[in-house]
Every structure is written in structure tokens, then in C-alpha cells.
Amino acid sequence: MIKAVIFDLDGVIVDTAHYHYVAWQRLAKELGISFTEKENERLKGVSRMHSLEIILEIGGVTLSQAKKEELATKKNSWFVEYIEAIRPEEIFKGVKEMLQELRTQGFRVALASSSKNAETVLRLLQIKNMFDAVVDGTMIKNSKPDPEIFLLAASKLGVSPDVCVVFEDAEAGVEAALAAGMKCVGVGSADQLGKAHAIVKSTADFPISKLNSL
Ligand code: BG6
Ligand code: MG
């Protein structure tokens, strides 16, 4: 019996995944590295530094730790600039209603994002109070595909992993959910998210009534 639902943030609740991509592409361009939208799928759900390392690997570039820190900070300052104007109206269609309905039906609801900017995004969207627990990139050692973030979310909710369903748009996120022993709904395309128990185009397309048949 499913008792809890855990949501990723970027790309599941709001289209901030796009701003991450635009900022990384800007950085890649500065470094003379060609970086496509397909390659960007590898960055979804993984930490800021790991994302940079993937881009450097694509470009065959080796840099010192200090230089990498500088570039990661630069990308983040662009990302923060891009999301400054985000408004509650940008929450994906039907998601707010879904969060409300889940709680009305007695499910525990958590947010689990690898991002260190998750608090800022939740504040701008004015939805922090819709979650019983929030876990973000500042609270974990290992980001997705490691299951740490989802296990921490389950423990904060006071439930065991096998009664949790995760909504994820990242391949690394689906892997993390499965490694945590949870059910997973992929939000996006089967090309990247084929391992998920179900796939929907948009988060709210998944009916709450089907959570127990995954
Ligand atoms: C995840 C995004 O939610 O957070 C990744 O899918 C991003 O693309 C990661 O790299 C870390 O985010 P931040 O905001 O801490 O750089
Ligand atoms: Mg995501």
C-alpha cells in the first residue's frame, strides 16, 4: 500500500531544468565545447560539480579543482539570475492541485531535489508548505543516481522505502529511486526513462488512483 509520494523539482514541478541547460550551454560555449540537448540528459539530477565534470569530459578538457569551482560558481550565478523572475503561475499544469489532493487523500508528500537552489525555487513558487518534508542538495553527500536523497526523504516522512512512489524526469533520478527500493513514475520520454514503472508526458497526467497499481 503506497503511503508517500516524493517529487523531484527541476523538470517535474517547474521547468527550471531548461534554465540549468541554458546556463550549462553558455558555459560550454565559453569553453569552446559543443554541448547538445541530448548530452544534457546526462546532467539531469546530478550535482553541480558532477555536471561540470561531464561537460569537461565531453570536451576532453582537464582543469584544476580551483578552476572547476570557479566555473561551477559562474554557472550557478547565471542560473540564479535566470530563475529570479519565476512566478507561481509557472508550476506545471495540474501539479498544485495534485499536491493538494494527495494530502487530502492522506498521502505523505516530500520534495527531493539535488539542487542547492531548491529552497529559493520553492519560495518563488510559494509551495514550500505543500510538502511534509523537503530534502535538497545541501543535505546529502551523494547525489542521484545514489539513493541517499530518496532514503532521507522517506526517513523524514517516517515511512519505509517500499511504500514510496517517486516522480522523476532524470535518468539518474529513476536509477536512484529504483536503488532506494521505491516505485518510480518517469516524467518525459521512454528513451531516457525506460526503467521507470510508468512514464507520463507531464507530472499531473498520472492519476492518483493508479499509485497502488505500479
Ligand atoms: C538537479 C538538476 O535538480 O539539481 C541538475 O536536475 C542540477 O541539472 C542539480 O545540476 C544541482 O543543482 P544546483 O542548483 O545545486 O546547481
Ligand atoms: Mg529533475
Side-chain angles (χ1 to χ4, degrees), residues 32-45:
I33 298 172
S34 116
F35 174 60
T36 65
E37 200 160 1
K38 185 160 187 283
E39 286 163 335
N40 182 60
E41 289 300 323
R42 291 178 61 197
L43 271 56
K44 287 187 178 172

PDB file of all heavy atoms in Angstrom, residues 32-45:
ATOM      1  N   GLY A  32      34.471  26.592 -25.405  1.00  0.00           N
ATOM      2  CA  GLY A  32      34.688  26.068 -26.754  1.00  0.00           C
ATOM      3  C   GLY A  32      34.278  24.607 -26.872  1.00  0.00           C
ATOM      4  O   GLY A  32      34.775  23.869 -27.726  1.00  0.00           O
ATOM      5  N   ILE A  33      33.340  24.174 -26.000  1.00  0.00           N
ATOM      6  CA  ILE A  33      32.882  22.779 -26.026  1.00  0.00           C
ATOM      7  C   ILE A  33      31.476  22.741 -26.623  1.00  0.00           C
ATOM      8  O   ILE A  33      30.600  23.490 -26.194  1.00  0.00           O
ATOM      9  CB  ILE A  33      32.851  22.178 -24.596  1.00  0.00           C
ATOM     10  CG1 ILE A  33      34.262  22.162 -24.001  1.00  0.00           C
ATOM     11  CG2 ILE A  33      32.240  20.784 -24.598  1.00  0.00           C
ATOM     12  CD1 ILE A  33      34.312  21.765 -22.522  1.00  0.00           C
ATOM     13  N   SER A  34      31.261  21.863 -27.613  1.00  0.00           N
ATOM     14  CA  SER A  34      29.895  21.749 -28.149  1.00  0.00           C
ATOM     15  C   SER A  34      29.111  20.809 -27.241  1.00  0.00           C
ATOM     16  O   SER A  34      29.578  19.740 -26.867  1.00  0.00           O
ATOM     17  CB  SER A  34      29.948  21.271 -29.608  1.00  0.00           C
ATOM     18  OG  SER A  34      29.352  20.018 -29.741  1.00  0.00           O
ATOM     19  N   PHE A  35      27.920  21.260 -26.861  1.00  0.00           N
ATOM     20  CA  PHE A  35      27.141  20.556 -25.838  1.00  0.00           C
ATOM     21  C   PHE A  35      25.677  20.550 -26.257  1.00  0.00           C
ATOM     22  O   PHE A  35      25.044  21.598 -26.332  1.00  0.00           O
ATOM     23  CB  PHE A  35      27.348  21.287 -24.498  1.00  0.00           C
ATOM     24  CG  PHE A  35      26.507  20.786 -23.371  1.00  0.00           C
ATOM     25  CD1 PHE A  35      26.594  19.479 -22.934  1.00  0.00           C
ATOM     26  CD2 PHE A  35      25.613  21.641 -22.728  1.00  0.00           C
ATOM     27  CE1 PHE A  35      25.806  19.020 -21.878  1.00  0.00           C
ATOM     28  CE2 PHE A  35      24.825  21.199 -21.678  1.00  0.00           C
ATOM     29  CZ  PHE A  35      24.926  19.878 -21.259  1.00  0.00           C
ATOM     30  N   THR A  36      25.157  19.371 -26.593  1.00  0.00           N
ATOM     31  CA  THR A  36      23.813  19.274 -27.152  1.00  0.00           C
ATOM     32  C   THR A  36      22.752  18.989 -26.083  1.00  0.00           C
ATOM     33  O   THR A  36      23.074  18.588 -24.959  1.00  0.00           O
ATOM     34  CB  THR A  36      23.743  18.117 -28.170  1.00  0.00           C
ATOM     35  OG1 THR A  36      23.971  16.891 -27.449  1.00  0.00           O
ATOM     36  CG2 THR A  36      24.778  18.269 -29.265  1.00  0.00           C
ATOM     37  N   GLU A  37      21.481  19.138 -26.487  1.00  0.00           N
ATOM     38  CA  GLU A  37      20.364  18.880 -25.587  1.00  0.00           C
ATOM     39  C   GLU A  37      20.341  17.393 -25.195  1.00  0.00           C
ATOM     40  O   GLU A  37      19.971  17.045 -24.080  1.00  0.00           O
ATOM     41  CB  GLU A  37      19.055  19.279 -26.273  1.00  0.00           C
ATOM     42  CG  GLU A  37      17.954  19.504 -25.278  1.00  0.00           C
ATOM     43  CD  GLU A  37      16.801  20.336 -25.805  1.00  0.00           C
ATOM     44  OE1 GLU A  37      16.835  20.752 -26.984  1.00  0.00           O
ATOM     45  OE2 GLU A  37      15.868  20.559 -25.023  1.00  0.00           O
ATOM     46  N   LYS A  38      20.764  16.540 -26.124  1.00  0.00           N
ATOM     47  CA  LYS A  38      20.785  15.089 -25.836  1.00  0.00           C
ATOM     48  C   LYS A  38      21.830  14.814 -24.743  1.00  0.00           C
ATOM     49  O   LYS A  38      21.576  14.068 -23.792  1.00  0.00           O
ATOM     50  CB  LYS A  38      21.102  14.316 -27.124  1.00  0.00           C
ATOM     51  CG  LYS A  38      21.036  12.825 -26.950  1.00  0.00           C
ATOM     52  CD  LYS A  38      20.854  12.102 -28.281  1.00  0.00           C
ATOM     53  CE  LYS A  38      20.617  10.611 -28.069  1.00  0.00           C
ATOM     54  NZ  LYS A  38      21.852   9.897 -27.746  1.00  0.00           N
ATOM     55  N   GLU A  39      22.999  15.445 -24.887  1.00  0.00           N
ATOM     56  CA  GLU A  39      24.052  15.260 -23.865  1.00  0.00           C
ATOM     57  C   GLU A  39      23.606  15.812 -22.517  1.00  0.00           C
ATOM     58  O   GLU A  39      23.998  15.313 -21.464  1.00  0.00           O
ATOM     59  CB  GLU A  39      25.354  15.924 -24.330  1.00  0.00           C
ATOM     60  CG  GLU A  39      26.039  15.150 -25.427  1.00  0.00           C
ATOM     61  CD  GLU A  39      27.085  15.961 -26.192  1.00  0.00           C
ATOM     62  OE1 GLU A  39      27.002  17.212 -26.229  1.00  0.00           O
ATOM     63  OE2 GLU A  39      27.973  15.340 -26.774  1.00  0.00           O
ATOM     64  N   ASN A  40      22.752  16.848 -22.575  1.00  0.00           N
ATOM     65  CA  ASN A  40      22.265  17.457 -21.335  1.00  0.00           C
ATOM     66  C   ASN A  40      21.462  16.472 -20.479  1.00  0.00           C
ATOM     67  O   ASN A  40      21.377  16.622 -19.259  1.00  0.00           O
ATOM     68  CB  ASN A  40      21.403  18.684 -21.672  1.00  0.00           C
ATOM     69  CG  ASN A  40      20.908  19.387 -20.430  1.00  0.00           C
ATOM     70  OD1 ASN A  40      21.703  19.847 -19.616  1.00  0.00           O
ATOM     71  ND2 ASN A  40      19.603  19.443 -20.253  1.00  0.00           N
ATOM     72  N   GLU A  41      20.887  15.440 -21.106  1.00  0.00           N
ATOM     73  CA  GLU A  41      20.127  14.432 -20.343  1.00  0.00           C
ATOM     74  C   GLU A  41      21.012  13.807 -19.265  1.00  0.00           C
ATOM     75  O   GLU A  41      20.543  13.441 -18.198  1.00  0.00           O
ATOM     76  CB  GLU A  41      19.586  13.341 -21.273  1.00  0.00           C
ATOM     77  CG  GLU A  41      18.449  13.799 -22.173  1.00  0.00           C
ATOM     78  CD  GLU A  41      17.230  14.304 -21.402  1.00  0.00           C
ATOM     79  OE1 GLU A  41      16.914  13.727 -20.344  1.00  0.00           O
ATOM     80  OE2 GLU A  41      16.619  15.296 -21.853  1.00  0.00           O
ATOM     81  N   ARG A  42      22.313  13.680 -19.551  1.00  0.00           N
ATOM     82  CA  ARG A  42      23.250  13.072 -18.577  1.00  0.00           C
ATOM     83  C   ARG A  42      23.429  13.942 -17.337  1.00  0.00           C
ATOM     84  O   ARG A  42      23.857  13.471 -16.282  1.00  0.00           O
ATOM     85  CB  ARG A  42      24.623  12.861 -19.227  1.00  0.00           C
ATOM     86  CG  ARG A  42      24.644  11.799 -20.289  1.00  0.00           C
ATOM     87  CD  ARG A  42      26.010  11.674 -20.926  1.00  0.00           C
ATOM     88  NE  ARG A  42      27.081  11.309 -20.001  1.00  0.00           N
ATOM     89  CZ  ARG A  42      28.375  11.453 -20.255  1.00  0.00           C
ATOM     90  NH1 ARG A  42      28.771  11.945 -21.408  1.00  0.00           N
ATOM     91  NH2 ARG A  42      29.274  11.096 -19.362  1.00  0.00           N
ATOM     92  N   LEU A  43      23.127  15.245 -17.479  1.00  0.00           N
ATOM     93  CA  LEU A  43      23.348  16.177 -16.362  1.00  0.00           C
ATOM     94  C   LEU A  43      22.146  16.248 -15.419  1.00  0.00           C
ATOM     95  O   LEU A  43      22.278  16.665 -14.265  1.00  0.00           O
ATOM     96  CB  LEU A  43      23.605  17.596 -16.898  1.00  0.00           C
ATOM     97  CG  LEU A  43      25.055  17.972 -17.216  1.00  0.00           C
ATOM     98  CD1 LEU A  43      25.684  17.007 -18.183  1.00  0.00           C
ATOM     99  CD2 LEU A  43      25.133  19.382 -17.743  1.00  0.00           C
ATOM    100  N   LYS A  44      20.984  15.851 -15.932  1.00  0.00           N
ATOM    101  CA  LYS A  44      19.759  15.989 -15.135  1.00  0.00           C
ATOM    102  C   LYS A  44      19.850  15.161 -13.859  1.00  0.00           C
ATOM    103  O   LYS A  44      20.185  13.970 -13.908  1.00  0.00           O
ATOM    104  CB  LYS A  44      18.528  15.572 -15.950  1.00  0.00           C
ATOM    105  CG  LYS A  44      18.165  16.580 -17.018  1.00  0.00           C
ATOM    106  CD  LYS A  44      16.853  16.207 -17.682  1.00  0.00           C
ATOM    107  CE  LYS A  44      16.474  17.256 -18.717  1.00  0.00           C
ATOM    108  NZ  LYS A  44      15.309  16.820 -19.503  1.00  0.00           N
ATOM    109  N   GLY A  45      19.552  15.793 -12.752  1.00  0.00           N
ATOM    110  CA  GLY A  45      19.515  15.097 -11.465  1.00  0.00           C
ATOM    111  C   GLY A  45      20.855  14.980 -10.763  1.00  0.00           C
ATOM    112  O   GLY A  45      20.907  14.660  -9.588  1.00  0.00           O
TER     113      GLY A  45
END
